Amino acid sequence: MRIIVHKARCQGHARCSAQAPDVFRLDDEGYILPGDIEVGEGEQLLASRGARSCPERALELDRTPAARG
Amino acid sequence: MAVNPVPDHVPPEMVRDFSLFTSPGMAPTPNGDPHAAVACVHSGPPIFYSPCNTRDGRGTWVVTRATDQRRVLQDAETFSSHRSIFSSALGESWPMIPLELDPPAHGVFRSLLNPLLSPKRVVVLEPKVRERAITLIDRIAASGTSCDVMKDFAFPFTVSIFLRLLGLPDHRLDTFVGWAKDLLHGDDVKRPAAAQTIVAFIDELATKRRKEPADDFMTFIVQAQVERRRLTEEEVRGIGVLVFVAGLDTVAAAIGFGLAYLARNLKDQDLLRREPDRIVLAAEELLRAYPTVQIIRVATKDIDFEGAPIRKGDYVSCATMIANRDPAEFECPNTVDLAREDNRHAAFGYGPHRCLGSHLARREIVIGLEEWLARIPAFRIKKATAPITSGGHVFGIENLILDWS
Ligand code: SF4
């Protein structure tokens, strides 16, 4: 699974990293670091929870086959 | 309250008799539930015009859907937050910073202040916050089986944390709480007087810290640089006043509404006491169900929004308590489900002005609940007492007498 990060939309709620601190890394101000995120096998549940808790809709789950592979 | 006439460009069929100030349940009400009272707007259109929806009786558009509120709040160019809400009470027009600045100036100040209240910083502050909660609750537990949670815990807890952040002594706590109450809930005489007092206080503190630096927020502000220059006096004041106003009331209200819910729902209370790991998630749900702030923006240009002819200068209200009860966004929005997942609530707003203090506020609420539940046995609202709740610009709960005898 991959998470597409729409960095411009992030407003630093930190809801994602509260769910999955190892998946969603924040900068010193509390905003998400740029770049899409490849999620490892064991972290999928927490990662998708984190993405789904972003109030700004800045994190998009990419479940296309390519992203799974 | 003087009501301004509905402007000509507002179609009469878009006007509704609804207001966060004057609708049923908004005035101070014993055992009230102002959040439930506003949820009724969801049976109506996505946007309508409320002829009297600010403290001074101005009309606003009311955006009811969470997704539309996101559109408004994420578009700071079209919907400005520069309203001088505080300084206008003094007949002045300086902005509270960063709240009332628009991009790009907003970003400059936001970046300056973000690290002071970032998630990392909050981890550092946490032990002191917890210690403060424990001290207060232990004192309450030792002195009886009943207390007014607002007066004895919620306010002293949240305000003293904020005072420590600003570098101010605890003994002035009651004074500051008094100012904040007058400012947020006072009448037309008390409000400007409180505003004046707070400005004078912030100015004086800034002068003091310029002369004698300390390890605190105000020292940071007076020494800080933006765009290779020191901040002006007006900017320092704008930041100081915002932190003061924002820090005093809302977190206490959130804790109060949360504990009031738990006092009335013993099963949930018991569950959280037995399984404290659930409190982090539960706190988000309590924030969703009982947020406290109405956010207002000013249109910077004419725009047609979901069929509403918004004109330059119109006020647009994005009430967090309305977004958080949107059935399109939340399943059974009027039911409190402490295990709710995917809880993308709007308690701290959306967009670039998202509450700067949200990480600290969250921690305070979680720690407050954790320590309260760990130390106070099953509690209810004391017989023959009634918490008084109110609507308005900031929803509040005045008293909450709990009993665990
Ligand atoms: S939850 Fe969304 S807005 Fe918040 S830090 Fe994560 S990506 Fe950014």
Side-chain angles (χ1 to χ4, degrees), chain A residues 38-50:
Chain A
E38 291 298 336
V39 181
E41 272 298 321
E43 290 175 311
Q44 305 230 344
L45 178 65
L46 280 184
S48 72
R49 263 194 207 154

Side-chain angles (χ1 to χ4, degrees), chain A residues 14-34:
Chain A
R15 298 287 299 281
C16 54
S17 73
Q19 297 271 5
D22 297 331
V23 178
F24 303 101
R25 304 214 173 261
L26 307 181
D27 64 20
D28 285 344
E29 289 188 39
Y31 296 83
I32 191 109
L33 293 176

Side-chain angles (χ1 to χ4, degrees), chain A residues 9-16 26 30-32 54-56 58-59:
Chain A
R9 273 195 221 158
C10 171
Q11 303 296 351
H13 292 257
R15 298 287 299 281
C16 54
L26 307 181
Y31 296 83
I32 191 109
C54 174
E56 308 284 347
L59 304 171

Side-chain angles (χ1 to χ4, degrees), chain B residues 5-6 10 12 44 47 53 64 110 113 117-118 198 205 208 218 256 270 288 303 310 318 331 340 350-351 355 377:
Chain B
V6 174
V10 176
I47 182 166
N53 197 34
T64 66
R110 186 77 191 210
L113 299 174
L117 289 159
S118 69
I198 293 169
L205 183 66
K208 218 188 208 164
M218 190 48 94
D270 188 49
R288 182 196 69 80
I303 177 175
I310 297 176
C318 292
E331 224 173 280
R340 191 185 289 271
Y350 299 117
C355 170

Side-chain angles (χ1 to χ4, degrees), chain B residues 18-77:
Chain B
F18 171 88
S19 154
L20 288 178
F21 291 82
T22 59
S23 282
M26 296 302 117
T29 309
N31 281 326
D33 187 351
H35 298 87
V38 299
C40 69
V41 298
H42 288 295
S43 60
I47 182 166
F48 62 88
Y49 192 85
S50 163
C52 170
N53 197 34
T54 66
R55 195 190 307 276
D56 49 2
R58 284 194 55 161
T60 78
W61 292 99
V62 176
V63 178
T64 66
R65 308 283 187 263
T67 171
D68 292 336
Q69 286 199 10
R70 262 195 301 279
R71 263 177 71 200
V72 169
L73 297 174
Q74 288 175 339
D75 180 0
E77 218 169 284

